[in-house]
Amino acid sequence: MNNKLFFITGSRAEFDLTKNLLVLLDKSKKVDLHLVITATHLSKKYGFTYNYIKKFKFKNQHIVKTHIEKKNNDHNLDSISLGINKISKLLVRHKPNLVCVVGDRYEMLYCALSSYFLNIPIVHFFGGEVTYGSLDDGIRHSLSKLSNFHFVTHKNHRKRLIQLGEDKKNIFL
């Protein structure tokens, strides 16, 4: 099979939004789904939600430990650096045809950057949304700019991506 899809999950919140899609993709004979489990899924502090994912019995799972518990104000930068290093090696080894990232969290950023520099097409879910009072918008919009294809949940989100310069034929409502 030549349709190797890497889908990144880093938190329970975003996993729950996509789990039905992931179950369908895992059952598909047309897609070779590889679930990359990273970030807070592997943290005791955040409930070690990998145990929740295990219940779904996805065929291909990759555990990538990148989350550095908060020791100082730079912990997210340390996690991003570690993530780029580990994810890029995983992508080089497995050579996926497509990488999927979701939302606006920093772990999606290191996955998208690795994919971008390795010339692997990127799908971004939930681009064009807005969060006030946090860093999320900058991360989400960066993910959208790095991505080739976009799945959005509202016509206003589609419009915002077009305003950011994304090609409307690659945005799906």
Side-chain angles (χ1 to χ4, degrees), residues 76-112:
N76 283 347
L77 291 173
D78 292 337
S79 292
I80 290 169
S81 176
L82 183 60
I84 288 172
N85 185 287
K86 288 186 173 188
I87 292 291
S88 62
K89 288 178 182 173
L90 183 70
L91 295 173
V92 167
R93 185 168 53 250
H94 289 277
K95 298 177 179 26
N97 302 93
L98 197 62
V99 171
C100 296
V101 296
V102 179
D104 56 16
R105 292 183 42 90
Y106 73 88
E107 64 269 10
M108 298 299 158
L109 193 56
Y110 60 71
C111 295

PDB file of all heavy atoms in Angstrom, residues 76-112:
ATOM      1  N   ASN A  76       8.416  24.715  26.823  1.00  0.00           N
ATOM      2  CA  ASN A  76       7.777  24.468  25.526  1.00  0.00           C
ATOM      3  C   ASN A  76       8.794  24.522  24.395  1.00  0.00           C
ATOM      4  O   ASN A  76       8.729  23.721  23.455  1.00  0.00           O
ATOM      5  CB  ASN A  76       6.654  25.471  25.263  1.00  0.00           C
ATOM      6  CG  ASN A  76       5.401  25.157  26.042  1.00  0.00           C
ATOM      7  OD1 ASN A  76       5.253  24.075  26.611  1.00  0.00           O
ATOM      8  ND2 ASN A  76       4.483  26.099  26.080  1.00  0.00           N
ATOM      9  N   LEU A  77       9.752  25.433  24.477  1.00  0.00           N
ATOM     10  CA  LEU A  77      10.798  25.492  23.446  1.00  0.00           C
ATOM     11  C   LEU A  77      11.657  24.241  23.474  1.00  0.00           C
ATOM     12  O   LEU A  77      12.039  23.712  22.422  1.00  0.00           O
ATOM     13  CB  LEU A  77      11.659  26.741  23.644  1.00  0.00           C
ATOM     14  CG  LEU A  77      10.971  28.074  23.355  1.00  0.00           C
ATOM     15  CD1 LEU A  77      11.877  29.227  23.742  1.00  0.00           C
ATOM     16  CD2 LEU A  77      10.565  28.161  21.905  1.00  0.00           C
ATOM     17  N   ASP A  78      11.958  23.743  24.657  1.00  0.00           N
ATOM     18  CA  ASP A  78      12.723  22.505  24.770  1.00  0.00           C
ATOM     19  C   ASP A  78      11.941  21.337  24.167  1.00  0.00           C
ATOM     20  O   ASP A  78      12.506  20.488  23.467  1.00  0.00           O
ATOM     21  CB  ASP A  78      13.065  22.199  26.232  1.00  0.00           C
ATOM     22  CG  ASP A  78      14.056  23.193  26.822  1.00  0.00           C
ATOM     23  OD1 ASP A  78      14.797  23.838  26.049  1.00  0.00           O
ATOM     24  OD2 ASP A  78      14.071  23.328  28.062  1.00  0.00           O
ATOM     25  N   SER A  79      10.640  21.286  24.422  1.00  0.00           N
ATOM     26  CA  SER A  79       9.794  20.229  23.859  1.00  0.00           C
ATOM     27  C   SER A  79       9.723  20.330  22.339  1.00  0.00           C
ATOM     28  O   SER A  79       9.754  19.319  21.640  1.00  0.00           O
ATOM     29  CB  SER A  79       8.383  20.297  24.456  1.00  0.00           C
ATOM     30  OG  SER A  79       8.388  19.962  25.813  1.00  0.00           O
ATOM     31  N   ILE A  80       9.631  21.543  21.822  1.00  0.00           N
ATOM     32  CA  ILE A  80       9.583  21.745  20.373  1.00  0.00           C
ATOM     33  C   ILE A  80      10.888  21.282  19.728  1.00  0.00           C
ATOM     34  O   ILE A  80      10.881  20.584  18.717  1.00  0.00           O
ATOM     35  CB  ILE A  80       9.274  23.221  20.035  1.00  0.00           C
ATOM     36  CG1 ILE A  80       7.821  23.541  20.408  1.00  0.00           C
ATOM     37  CG2 ILE A  80       9.538  23.524  18.556  1.00  0.00           C
ATOM     38  CD1 ILE A  80       7.477  25.017  20.374  1.00  0.00           C
ATOM     39  N   SER A  81      11.998  21.643  20.318  1.00  0.00           N
ATOM     40  CA  SER A  81      13.300  21.235  19.791  1.00  0.00           C
ATOM     41  C   SER A  81      13.435  19.718  19.794  1.00  0.00           C
ATOM     42  O   SER A  81      13.841  19.116  18.791  1.00  0.00           O
ATOM     43  CB  SER A  81      14.406  21.875  20.636  1.00  0.00           C
ATOM     44  OG  SER A  81      15.667  21.445  20.215  1.00  0.00           O
ATOM     45  N   LEU A  82      13.083  19.100  20.905  1.00  0.00           N
ATOM     46  CA  LEU A  82      13.131  17.645  21.007  1.00  0.00           C
ATOM     47  C   LEU A  82      12.176  17.011  19.999  1.00  0.00           C
ATOM     48  O   LEU A  82      12.498  16.012  19.349  1.00  0.00           O
ATOM     49  CB  LEU A  82      12.781  17.223  22.440  1.00  0.00           C
ATOM     50  CG  LEU A  82      12.853  15.750  22.780  1.00  0.00           C
ATOM     51  CD1 LEU A  82      14.270  15.208  22.572  1.00  0.00           C
ATOM     52  CD2 LEU A  82      12.409  15.532  24.229  1.00  0.00           C
ATOM     53  N   GLY A  83      10.993  17.612  19.847  1.00  0.00           N
ATOM     54  CA  GLY A  83       9.997  17.095  18.906  1.00  0.00           C
ATOM     55  C   GLY A  83      10.466  17.135  17.467  1.00  0.00           C
ATOM     56  O   GLY A  83      10.278  16.178  16.717  1.00  0.00           O
ATOM     57  N   ILE A  84      11.074  18.225  17.053  1.00  0.00           N
ATOM     58  CA  ILE A  84      11.600  18.316  15.681  1.00  0.00           C
ATOM     59  C   ILE A  84      12.624  17.218  15.451  1.00  0.00           C
ATOM     60  O   ILE A  84      12.600  16.526  14.431  1.00  0.00           O
ATOM     61  CB  ILE A  84      12.199  19.706  15.406  1.00  0.00           C
ATOM     62  CG1 ILE A  84      11.085  20.746  15.293  1.00  0.00           C
ATOM     63  CG2 ILE A  84      13.045  19.698  14.130  1.00  0.00           C
ATOM     64  CD1 ILE A  84      11.578  22.185  15.204  1.00  0.00           C
ATOM     65  N   ASN A  85      13.499  17.022  16.403  1.00  0.00           N
ATOM     66  CA  ASN A  85      14.535  15.998  16.276  1.00  0.00           C
ATOM     67  C   ASN A  85      13.928  14.602  16.146  1.00  0.00           C
ATOM     68  O   ASN A  85      14.272  13.850  15.231  1.00  0.00           O
ATOM     69  CB  ASN A  85      15.477  16.081  17.487  1.00  0.00           C
ATOM     70  CG  ASN A  85      16.628  15.141  17.378  1.00  0.00           C
ATOM     71  OD1 ASN A  85      16.472  13.933  17.533  1.00  0.00           O
ATOM     72  ND2 ASN A  85      17.799  15.680  17.115  1.00  0.00           N
ATOM     73  N   LYS A  86      13.006  14.256  17.030  1.00  0.00           N
ATOM     74  CA  LYS A  86      12.438  12.901  17.036  1.00  0.00           C
ATOM     75  C   LYS A  86      11.456  12.657  15.897  1.00  0.00           C
ATOM     76  O   LYS A  86      11.484  11.613  15.253  1.00  0.00           O
ATOM     77  CB  LYS A  86      11.772  12.627  18.384  1.00  0.00           C
ATOM     78  CG  LYS A  86      12.758  12.446  19.516  1.00  0.00           C
ATOM     79  CD  LYS A  86      12.039  12.045  20.785  1.00  0.00           C
ATOM     80  CE  LYS A  86      13.028  11.693  21.880  1.00  0.00           C
ATOM     81  NZ  LYS A  86      12.325  11.120  23.052  1.00  0.00           N
ATOM     82  N   ILE A  87      10.574  13.609  15.644  1.00  0.00           N
ATOM     83  CA  ILE A  87       9.566  13.430  14.588  1.00  0.00           C
ATOM     84  C   ILE A  87      10.229  13.377  13.217  1.00  0.00           C
ATOM     85  O   ILE A  87       9.862  12.552  12.375  1.00  0.00           O
ATOM     86  CB  ILE A  87       8.499  14.547  14.642  1.00  0.00           C
ATOM     87  CG1 ILE A  87       7.643  14.412  15.902  1.00  0.00           C
ATOM     88  CG2 ILE A  87       7.641  14.556  13.385  1.00  0.00           C
ATOM     89  CD1 ILE A  87       6.716  13.221  15.948  1.00  0.00           C
ATOM     90  N   SER A  88      11.221  14.223  12.977  1.00  0.00           N
ATOM     91  CA  SER A  88      11.870  14.210  11.657  1.00  0.00           C
ATOM     92  C   SER A  88      12.534  12.861  11.401  1.00  0.00           C
ATOM     93  O   SER A  88      12.470  12.335  10.283  1.00  0.00           O
ATOM     94  CB  SER A  88      12.869  15.357  11.521  1.00  0.00           C
ATOM     95  OG  SER A  88      13.901  15.247  12.471  1.00  0.00           O
ATOM     96  N   LYS A  89      13.140  12.264  12.409  1.00  0.00           N
ATOM     97  CA  LYS A  89      13.751  10.937  12.243  1.00  0.00           C
ATOM     98  C   LYS A  89      12.694   9.876  11.951  1.00  0.00           C
ATOM     99  O   LYS A  89      12.903   9.000  11.109  1.00  0.00           O
ATOM    100  CB  LYS A  89      14.553  10.567  13.492  1.00  0.00           C
ATOM    101  CG  LYS A  89      15.832  11.368  13.616  1.00  0.00           C
ATOM    102  CD  LYS A  89      16.584  11.029  14.883  1.00  0.00           C
ATOM    103  CE  LYS A  89      17.840  11.904  14.972  1.00  0.00           C
ATOM    104  NZ  LYS A  89      18.534  11.755  16.243  1.00  0.00           N
ATOM    105  N   LEU A  90      11.553   9.965  12.625  1.00  0.00           N
ATOM    106  CA  LEU A  90      10.456   9.028  12.380  1.00  0.00           C
ATOM    107  C   LEU A  90       9.925   9.172  10.956  1.00  0.00           C
ATOM    108  O   LEU A  90       9.688   8.173  10.260  1.00  0.00           O
ATOM    109  CB  LEU A  90       9.333   9.283  13.396  1.00  0.00           C
ATOM    110  CG  LEU A  90       8.132   8.357  13.341  1.00  0.00           C
ATOM    111  CD1 LEU A  90       8.516   6.961  13.815  1.00  0.00           C
ATOM    112  CD2 LEU A  90       7.002   8.923  14.189  1.00  0.00           C
ATOM    113  N   LEU A  91       9.775  10.402  10.494  1.00  0.00           N
ATOM    114  CA  LEU A  91       9.274  10.644   9.138  1.00  0.00           C
ATOM    115  C   LEU A  91      10.259  10.152   8.084  1.00  0.00           C
ATOM    116  O   LEU A  91       9.854   9.557   7.078  1.00  0.00           O
ATOM    117  CB  LEU A  91       8.978  12.129   8.939  1.00  0.00           C
ATOM    118  CG  LEU A  91       7.855  12.718   9.794  1.00  0.00           C
ATOM    119  CD1 LEU A  91       7.784  14.229   9.612  1.00  0.00           C
ATOM    120  CD2 LEU A  91       6.522  12.070   9.479  1.00  0.00           C
ATOM    121  N   VAL A  92      11.532  10.378   8.301  1.00  0.00           N
ATOM    122  CA  VAL A  92      12.548   9.904   7.354  1.00  0.00           C
ATOM    123  C   VAL A  92      12.537   8.374   7.286  1.00  0.00           C
ATOM    124  O   VAL A  92      12.618   7.785   6.213  1.00  0.00           O
ATOM    125  CB  VAL A  92      13.953  10.442   7.737  1.00  0.00           C
ATOM    126  CG1 VAL A  92      15.057   9.719   6.988  1.00  0.00           C
ATOM    127  CG2 VAL A  92      14.028  11.944   7.483  1.00  0.00           C
ATOM    128  N   ARG A  93      12.395   7.733   8.426  1.00  0.00           N
ATOM    129  CA  ARG A  93      12.415   6.266   8.480  1.00  0.00           C
ATOM    130  C   ARG A  93      11.193   5.645   7.795  1.00  0.00           C
ATOM    131  O   ARG A  93      11.300   4.667   7.074  1.00  0.00           O
ATOM    132  CB  ARG A  93      12.504   5.805   9.939  1.00  0.00           C
ATOM    133  CG  ARG A  93      12.644   4.306  10.104  1.00  0.00           C
ATOM    134  CD  ARG A  93      13.015   3.858  11.522  1.00  0.00           C
ATOM    135  NE  ARG A  93      12.137   4.377  12.565  1.00  0.00           N
ATOM    136  CZ  ARG A  93      12.489   5.295  13.468  1.00  0.00           C
ATOM    137  NH1 ARG A  93      13.714   5.806  13.478  1.00  0.00           N
ATOM    138  NH2 ARG A  93      11.631   5.707  14.388  1.00  0.00           N
ATOM    139  N   HIS A  94      10.011   6.243   7.984  1.00  0.00           N
ATOM    140  CA  HIS A  94       8.774   5.626   7.488  1.00  0.00           C
ATOM    141  C   HIS A  94       8.256   6.201   6.177  1.00  0.00           C
ATOM    142  O   HIS A  94       7.389   5.603   5.553  1.00  0.00           O
ATOM    143  CB  HIS A  94       7.684   5.702   8.561  1.00  0.00           C
ATOM    144  CG  HIS A  94       7.947   4.796   9.706  1.00  0.00           C
ATOM    145  ND1 HIS A  94       7.624   3.462   9.694  1.00  0.00           N
ATOM    146  CD2 HIS A  94       8.543   5.033  10.908  1.00  0.00           C
ATOM    147  CE1 HIS A  94       7.986   2.907  10.831  1.00  0.00           C
ATOM    148  NE2 HIS A  94       8.546   3.843  11.594  1.00  0.00           N
ATOM    149  N   LYS A  95       8.728   7.370   5.779  1.00  0.00           N
ATOM    150  CA  LYS A  95       8.363   7.987   4.502  1.00  0.00           C
ATOM    151  C   LYS A  95       6.842   8.027   4.224  1.00  0.00           C
ATOM    152  O   LYS A  95       6.358   7.460   3.253  1.00  0.00           O
ATOM    153  CB  LYS A  95       9.073   7.274   3.356  1.00  0.00           C
ATOM    154  CG  LYS A  95      10.584   7.361   3.436  1.00  0.00           C
ATOM    155  CD  LYS A  95      11.248   6.579   2.331  1.00  0.00           C
ATOM    156  CE  LYS A  95      12.733   6.631   2.309  1.00  0.00           C
ATOM    157  NZ  LYS A  95      13.491   6.866   3.491  1.00  0.00           N
ATOM    158  N   PRO A  96       6.089   8.738   5.072  1.00  0.00           N
ATOM    159  CA  PRO A  96       4.647   8.842   4.798  1.00  0.00           C
ATOM    160  C   PRO A  96       4.377   9.704   3.573  1.00  0.00           C
ATOM    161  O   PRO A  96       5.194  10.537   3.200  1.00  0.00           O
ATOM    162  CB  PRO A  96       4.096   9.489   6.065  1.00  0.00           C
ATOM    163  CG  PRO A  96       5.242  10.264   6.608  1.00  0.00           C
ATOM    164  CD  PRO A  96       6.479   9.472   6.268  1.00  0.00           C
ATOM    165  N   ASN A  97       3.204   9.497   2.978  1.00  0.00           N
ATOM    166  CA  ASN A  97       2.762  10.312   1.848  1.00  0.00           C
ATOM    167  C   ASN A  97       2.058  11.583   2.296  1.00  0.00           C
ATOM    168  O   ASN A  97       1.925  12.520   1.519  1.00  0.00           O
ATOM    169  CB  ASN A  97       1.794   9.520   0.968  1.00  0.00           C
ATOM    170  CG  ASN A  97       2.404   8.248   0.459  1.00  0.00           C
ATOM    171  OD1 ASN A  97       2.233   7.211   1.087  1.00  0.00           O
ATOM    172  ND2 ASN A  97       3.135   8.322  -0.630  1.00  0.00           N
ATOM    173  N   LEU A  98       1.589  11.587   3.539  1.00  0.00           N
ATOM    174  CA  LEU A  98       0.795  12.699   4.041  1.00  0.00           C
ATOM    175  C   LEU A  98       0.881  12.712   5.566  1.00  0.00           C
ATOM    176  O   LEU A  98       0.898  11.661   6.196  1.00  0.00           O
ATOM    177  CB  LEU A  98      -0.667  12.490   3.619  1.00  0.00           C
ATOM    178  CG  LEU A  98      -1.644  13.635   3.657  1.00  0.00           C
ATOM    179  CD1 LEU A  98      -1.227  14.750   2.715  1.00  0.00           C
ATOM    180  CD2 LEU A  98      -3.029  13.140   3.273  1.00  0.00           C
ATOM    181  N   VAL A  99       0.929  13.920   6.138  1.00  0.00           N
ATOM    182  CA  VAL A  99       0.926  14.090   7.593  1.00  0.00           C
ATOM    183  C   VAL A  99      -0.266  14.966   7.962  1.00  0.00           C
ATOM    184  O   VAL A  99      -0.494  16.004   7.337  1.00  0.00           O
ATOM    185  CB  VAL A  99       2.243  14.731   8.097  1.00  0.00           C
ATOM    186  CG1 VAL A  99       2.137  15.110   9.562  1.00  0.00           C
ATOM    187  CG2 VAL A  99       3.413  13.786   7.876  1.00  0.00           C
ATOM    188  N   CYS A 100      -1.031  14.540   8.974  1.00  0.00           N
ATOM    189  CA  CYS A 100      -2.194  15.295   9.441  1.00  0.00           C
ATOM    190  C   CYS A 100      -1.920  15.876  10.812  1.00  0.00           C
ATOM    191  O   CYS A 100      -1.477  15.160  11.718  1.00  0.00           O
ATOM    192  CB  CYS A 100      -3.416  14.387   9.528  1.00  0.00           C
ATOM    193  SG  CYS A 100      -3.949  13.739   7.950  1.00  0.00           S
ATOM    194  N   VAL A 101      -2.187  17.174  10.945  1.00  0.00           N
ATOM    195  CA  VAL A 101      -2.070  17.864  12.229  1.00  0.00           C
ATOM    196  C   VAL A 101      -3.412  18.518  12.541  1.00  0.00           C
ATOM    197  O   VAL A 101      -4.180  18.836  11.640  1.00  0.00           O
ATOM    198  CB  VAL A 101      -0.927  18.906  12.226  1.00  0.00           C
ATOM    199  CG1 VAL A 101       0.425  18.246  12.049  1.00  0.00           C
ATOM    200  CG2 VAL A 101      -1.139  19.964  11.161  1.00  0.00           C
ATOM    201  N   VAL A 102      -3.654  18.715  13.830  1.00  0.00           N
ATOM    202  CA  VAL A 102      -4.959  19.191  14.281  1.00  0.00           C
ATOM    203  C   VAL A 102      -4.794  20.412  15.176  1.00  0.00           C
ATOM    204  O   VAL A 102      -3.957  20.408  16.084  1.00  0.00           O
ATOM    205  CB  VAL A 102      -5.695  18.081  15.061  1.00  0.00           C
ATOM    206  CG1 VAL A 102      -7.051  18.569  15.556  1.00  0.00           C
ATOM    207  CG2 VAL A 102      -5.845  16.826  14.209  1.00  0.00           C
ATOM    208  N   GLY A 103      -5.574  21.442  14.914  1.00  0.00           N
ATOM    209  CA  GLY A 103      -5.722  22.531  15.857  1.00  0.00           C
ATOM    210  C   GLY A 103      -4.596  23.526  15.963  1.00  0.00           C
ATOM    211  O   GLY A 103      -4.092  24.020  14.954  1.00  0.00           O
ATOM    212  N   ASP A 104      -4.176  23.768  17.226  1.00  0.00           N
ATOM    213  CA  ASP A 104      -3.342  24.933  17.504  1.00  0.00           C
ATOM    214  C   ASP A 104      -2.331  24.718  18.629  1.00  0.00           C
ATOM    215  O   ASP A 104      -1.883  25.667  19.251  1.00  0.00           O
ATOM    216  CB  ASP A 104      -4.240  26.113  17.880  1.00  0.00           C
ATOM    217  CG  ASP A 104      -5.156  25.798  19.058  1.00  0.00           C
ATOM    218  OD1 ASP A 104      -4.922  24.807  19.778  1.00  0.00           O
ATOM    219  OD2 ASP A 104      -6.125  26.552  19.255  1.00  0.00           O
ATOM    220  N   ARG A 105      -1.966  23.489  18.899  1.00  0.00           N
ATOM    221  CA  ARG A 105      -1.035  23.230  20.003  1.00  0.00           C
ATOM    222  C   ARG A 105       0.400  23.135  19.492  1.00  0.00           C
ATOM    223  O   ARG A 105       0.645  22.771  18.357  1.00  0.00           O
ATOM    224  CB  ARG A 105      -1.435  21.957  20.748  1.00  0.00           C
ATOM    225  CG  ARG A 105      -2.761  22.150  21.506  1.00  0.00           C
ATOM    226  CD  ARG A 105      -3.147  20.950  22.305  1.00  0.00           C
ATOM    227  NE  ARG A 105      -2.042  20.331  23.006  1.00  0.00           N
ATOM    228  CZ  ARG A 105      -1.649  20.640  24.247  1.00  0.00           C
ATOM    229  NH1 ARG A 105      -2.263  21.591  24.910  1.00  0.00           N
ATOM    230  NH2 ARG A 105      -0.643  19.993  24.795  1.00  0.00           N
ATOM    231  N   TYR A 106       1.338  23.417  20.396  1.00  0.00           N
ATOM    232  CA  TYR A 106       2.739  23.502  19.989  1.00  0.00           C
ATOM    233  C   TYR A 106       3.293  22.189  19.442  1.00  0.00           C
ATOM    234  O   TYR A 106       4.149  22.204  18.564  1.00  0.00           O
ATOM    235  CB  TYR A 106       3.613  24.025  21.134  1.00  0.00           C
ATOM    236  CG  TYR A 106       3.842  23.037  22.235  1.00  0.00           C
ATOM    237  CD1 TYR A 106       4.905  22.138  22.177  1.00  0.00           C
ATOM    238  CD2 TYR A 106       3.011  22.996  23.350  1.00  0.00           C
ATOM    239  CE1 TYR A 106       5.121  21.216  23.189  1.00  0.00           C
ATOM    240  CE2 TYR A 106       3.230  22.096  24.360  1.00  0.00           C
ATOM    241  CZ  TYR A 106       4.277  21.199  24.280  1.00  0.00           C
ATOM    242  OH  TYR A 106       4.494  20.292  25.271  1.00  0.00           O
ATOM    243  N   GLU A 107       2.803  21.031  19.898  1.00  0.00           N
ATOM    244  CA  GLU A 107       3.328  19.765  19.363  1.00  0.00           C
ATOM    245  C   GLU A 107       2.977  19.589  17.882  1.00  0.00           C
ATOM    246  O   GLU A 107       3.708  18.953  17.132  1.00  0.00           O
ATOM    247  CB  GLU A 107       2.878  18.556  20.184  1.00  0.00           C
ATOM    248  CG  GLU A 107       1.410  18.296  20.203  1.00  0.00           C
ATOM    249  CD  GLU A 107       0.695  18.982  21.357  1.00  0.00           C
ATOM    250  OE1 GLU A 107       1.297  19.826  22.047  1.00  0.00           O
ATOM    251  OE2 GLU A 107      -0.490  18.676  21.560  1.00  0.00           O
ATOM    252  N   MET A 108       1.869  20.169  17.458  1.00  0.00           N
ATOM    253  CA  MET A 108       1.522  20.118  16.043  1.00  0.00           C
ATOM    254  C   MET A 108       2.506  20.955  15.230  1.00  0.00           C
ATOM    255  O   MET A 108       2.811  20.636  14.087  1.00  0.00           O
ATOM    256  CB  MET A 108       0.096  20.618  15.823  1.00  0.00           C
ATOM    257  CG  MET A 108      -0.959  19.791  16.515  1.00  0.00           C
ATOM    258  SD  MET A 108      -0.971  18.094  15.918  1.00  0.00           S
ATOM    259  CE  MET A 108      -1.761  17.279  17.287  1.00  0.00           C
ATOM    260  N   LEU A 109       3.018  22.003  15.833  1.00  0.00           N
ATOM    261  CA  LEU A 109       3.976  22.866  15.157  1.00  0.00           C
ATOM    262  C   LEU A 109       5.268  22.124  14.837  1.00  0.00           C
ATOM    263  O   LEU A 109       5.778  22.206  13.726  1.00  0.00           O
ATOM    264  CB  LEU A 109       4.249  24.107  16.015  1.00  0.00           C
ATOM    265  CG  LEU A 109       4.986  25.253  15.364  1.00  0.00           C
ATOM    266  CD1 LEU A 109       4.282  25.727  14.100  1.00  0.00           C
ATOM    267  CD2 LEU A 109       5.122  26.409  16.350  1.00  0.00           C
ATOM    268  N   TYR A 110       5.816  21.360  15.793  1.00  0.00           N
ATOM    269  CA  TYR A 110       7.055  20.639  15.480  1.00  0.00           C
ATOM    270  C   TYR A 110       6.828  19.516  14.477  1.00  0.00           C
ATOM    271  O   TYR A 110       7.713  19.205  13.692  1.00  0.00           O
ATOM    272  CB  TYR A 110       7.819  20.180  16.727  1.00  0.00           C
ATOM    273  CG  TYR A 110       7.175  19.244  17.717  1.00  0.00           C
ATOM    274  CD1 TYR A 110       6.935  17.912  17.424  1.00  0.00           C
ATOM    275  CD2 TYR A 110       6.884  19.692  19.003  1.00  0.00           C
ATOM    276  CE1 TYR A 110       6.392  17.056  18.368  1.00  0.00           C
ATOM    277  CE2 TYR A 110       6.357  18.844  19.953  1.00  0.00           C
ATOM    278  CZ  TYR A 110       6.112  17.513  19.628  1.00  0.00           C
ATOM    279  OH  TYR A 110       5.588  16.672  20.572  1.00  0.00           O
ATOM    280  N   CYS A 111       5.636  18.953  14.458  1.00  0.00           N
ATOM    281  CA  CYS A 111       5.332  17.928  13.449  1.00  0.00           C
ATOM    282  C   CYS A 111       5.198  18.555  12.066  1.00  0.00           C
ATOM    283  O   CYS A 111       5.716  18.018  11.082  1.00  0.00           O
ATOM    284  CB  CYS A 111       4.050  17.195  13.832  1.00  0.00           C
ATOM    285  SG  CYS A 111       4.212  16.264  15.361  1.00  0.00           S
ATOM    286  N   ALA A 112       4.519  19.689  11.997  1.00  0.00           N
ATOM    287  CA  ALA A 112       4.351  20.372  10.715  1.00  0.00           C
ATOM    288  C   ALA A 112       5.681  20.895  10.186  1.00  0.00           C
ATOM    289  O   ALA A 112       5.965  20.772   8.983  1.00  0.00           O
ATOM    290  CB  ALA A 112       3.340  21.512  10.850  1.00  0.00           C
TER     291      ALA A 112
END
